């Protein structure tokens, strides 16, 4: 074989290889992966076990206010609903998931506070919730927070909601800790407990389930302010993009529609949509 011809072939192969790398590089410059880029997939953290907020149903679909908000935001970032990969974001794991890059953003009844804001950034807030209590619809004995004295008050194991009420509001409340909110609801329905406490949005989501419609009501005590935000990595450009999407969701009426759809059946009296960046203490 002619050495000169071999050299020409090698040069041609090298040029072709360089051209292929150049083309690949141009593709990356136009948006190579991640939220808002050329990669169609986007990964979002939500709750899997909170009806009305974030719930993975037996048929593998996802429902709830946070799901509706996240789907709207993802669409504004350029992703169809089918592009979304949902990941369970348990409360204790949320900061770690963002820091590791396991998800692009998290919408999971994620209250903004100073400690969390040191580790992650928050878009929003997009909902102002309050700690409240859920009681039976026909109960007229609990009309103010102090009426919880000598009442059996339920919350889930590990939650501080019931302890806060006992420490600050009703020292004679009889605390009952159950493994999950569904167990508390069953006890409330059967008269074993008198009230269930956590965020009003979570309570409304449970009470809005078909099997519980008309059985419970929110007391409307507003015992705390919980500013729900969408968590992103510290310094992420997504924060500004998500804020723009949230503002649009409010302006076009989609936000209120999502509130009514997910919480309305429980008679949830929601606060007006909060202004971006304004945290209610």
């Amino acid at each position: 074989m002619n050495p000169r011809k071999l050299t020409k072939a090698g040069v041609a192969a090298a040029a072709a290889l360089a051209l292929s790398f150049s083309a690949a590089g141009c593709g990356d410059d136009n948006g190579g992966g991640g939220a808002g880029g050329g990669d169609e997939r986007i990964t979002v953290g939500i709750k899997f076990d909170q009806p009305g907020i974030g719930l993975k149903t037996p048929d593998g679909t996802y429902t709830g206010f946070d799901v509706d908000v996240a789907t709207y935001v993802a669409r504004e970032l350029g992703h169809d609903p089918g592009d979304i990969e949902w990941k369970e974001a348990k409360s204790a794991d949320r900061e770690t998931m963002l820091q590791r890059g396991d998800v692009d953003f998290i919408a999971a009844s994620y209250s903004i506070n100073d400690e969390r804001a040191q580790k992650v950034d928050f878009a929003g807030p997009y909902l102002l919730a309050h700690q409240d209590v859920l009681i039976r619809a026909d109960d007229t004995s609990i009309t103010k927070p102090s009426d919880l004295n000598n009442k059996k008050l339920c919350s889930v194991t590990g939650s501080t909601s019931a302890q806060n009420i006992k420490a600050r509001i009703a020292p004679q409340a009889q605390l009952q800790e159950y493994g999950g909110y569904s167990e508390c609801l069953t006890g409330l329905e059967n008269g074993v407990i008198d009230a269930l406490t956590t965020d009003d949005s979570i309570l409304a989501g449970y009470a809005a389930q078909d099997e519980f419609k008309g059985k419970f009501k929110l007391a409307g005590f507003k015992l705390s302010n919980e500013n729900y935000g969408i968590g992103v990595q510290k310094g992420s450009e997504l924060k500004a993009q998500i804020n723009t999407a949230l503002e649009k969701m409010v302006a076009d009426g989609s936000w209120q529609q999502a509130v009514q759809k997910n919480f309305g059946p429980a008679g949830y009296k929601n606060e007006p949509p909060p202004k971006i960046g304004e945290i209610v203490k």
Side-chain angles (χ1 to χ4, degrees), residues 151-224:
K151 297 290 188 180
K152 294 178 181 178
L153 179 64
C154 187
S155 191
V156 298
T157 303
S159 169
T160 60
S161 299
Q163 288 89 339
N164 288 342
I165 288 179
K166 186 174 179 66
R168 299 188 294 109
I169 297 167
Q172 278 76 52
Q174 301 172 31
L175 302 188
Q176 307 286 320
E177 283 195 344
Y178 286 16
Y181 291 115
S182 295
E183 296 173 47
C184 286
L185 282 167
T186 300
L188 183 58
E189 183 179 17
N190 297 336
V192 177
I193 62 170
D194 301 304
L196 161 62
T197 185
T198 187
D199 293 359
D200 55 5
S201 57
I202 297 173
L203 294 173
Y206 275 99
Q209 296 178 95
D210 289 340
E211 64 266 38
F212 296 130
K213 285 180 181 177
K215 295 181 178 180
F216 307 120
K217 63 183 178 183
L218 289 161
F221 291 159
K222 297 185 179 181
L223 302 173
S224 70

Side-chain angles (χ1 to χ4, degrees), residues 11-170:
V11 170
L17 185 62
L19 183 61
S20 68
F21 279 124
S22 176
C26 289
D28 288 344
D29 289 342
N30 289 332
D39 188 352
E40 291 182 355
R41 304 296 294 173
I42 186 169
T43 306
V44 180
I46 57 169
K47 295 288 187 179
F48 276 17
D49 59 353
Q50 289 183 349
I53 297 287
L55 180 70
K56 182 177 182 180
T57 65
D59 64 1
T61 59
Y62 301 88
T63 65
F65 181 70
D66 283 349
V67 175
D68 290 343
V69 170
T71 301
Y72 188 102
V73 167
R75 184 180 287 111
E76 290 300 303
L77 294 175
H79 302 277
D80 293 330
D83 299 336
I84 302 172
E85 178 185 355
W86 302 104
K87 282 195 175 182
E88 183 174 19
K90 295 181 179 179
S91 296
D93 299 334
R94 290 176 296 201
E95 286 84 40
T96 302
M97 291 176 71
L98 288 168
Q99 290 170 335
R100 286 194 313 226
D102 295 342
V103 291
D104 292 297
F105 66 83
I106 289 178
S109 54
Y110 202 0
S111 296
I112 302 170
N113 62 36
D114 293 339
E115 181 181 355
R116 291 168 179 165
Q118 292 177 5
K119 302 174 183 177
V120 301
D121 282 344
F122 286 98
Y126 64 93
L127 183 72
L128 176 59
H130 307 280
Q131 184 182 345
D132 200 356
V133 297
L134 192 72
I135 58 179
R136 286 181 292 278
D138 60 355
D139 189 337
T140 59
S141 67
I142 301 175
T143 60
K144 58 185 182 298
S146 60
D147 290 336
L148 293 168
N149 280 307
N150 301 312
K151 297 290 188 180
K152 294 178 181 178
L153 179 64
C154 187
S155 191
V156 298
T157 303
S159 169
T160 60
S161 299
Q163 288 89 339
N164 288 342
I165 288 179
K166 186 174 179 66
R168 299 188 294 109
I169 297 167

Side-chain angles (χ1 to χ4, degrees), residues 206-271:
Y206 275 99
Q209 296 178 95
D210 289 340
E211 64 266 38
F212 296 130
K213 285 180 181 177
K215 295 181 178 180
F216 307 120
K217 63 183 178 183
L218 289 161
F221 291 159
K222 297 185 179 181
L223 302 173
S224 70
N225 294 320
E226 307 296 336
N227 300 269
Y228 287 3
I230 294 181
V232 297
Q233 273 191 346
K234 203 74 176 171
S236 173
E237 294 179 357
L238 276 182
K239 176 180 176 179
Q241 297 174 40
I242 293 173
N243 280 336
T244 298
L246 292 174
E247 289 173 339
K248 182 177 178 180
M249 187 177 187
V250 171
D252 68 16
S254 299
W255 184 89
Q256 187 59 46
Q257 290 174 11
V259 169
Q260 186 59 35
K261 167 189 167 187
N262 293 290
F263 306 133
Y268 179 63
K269 296 179 176 60
N270 64 281
E271 297 279 4

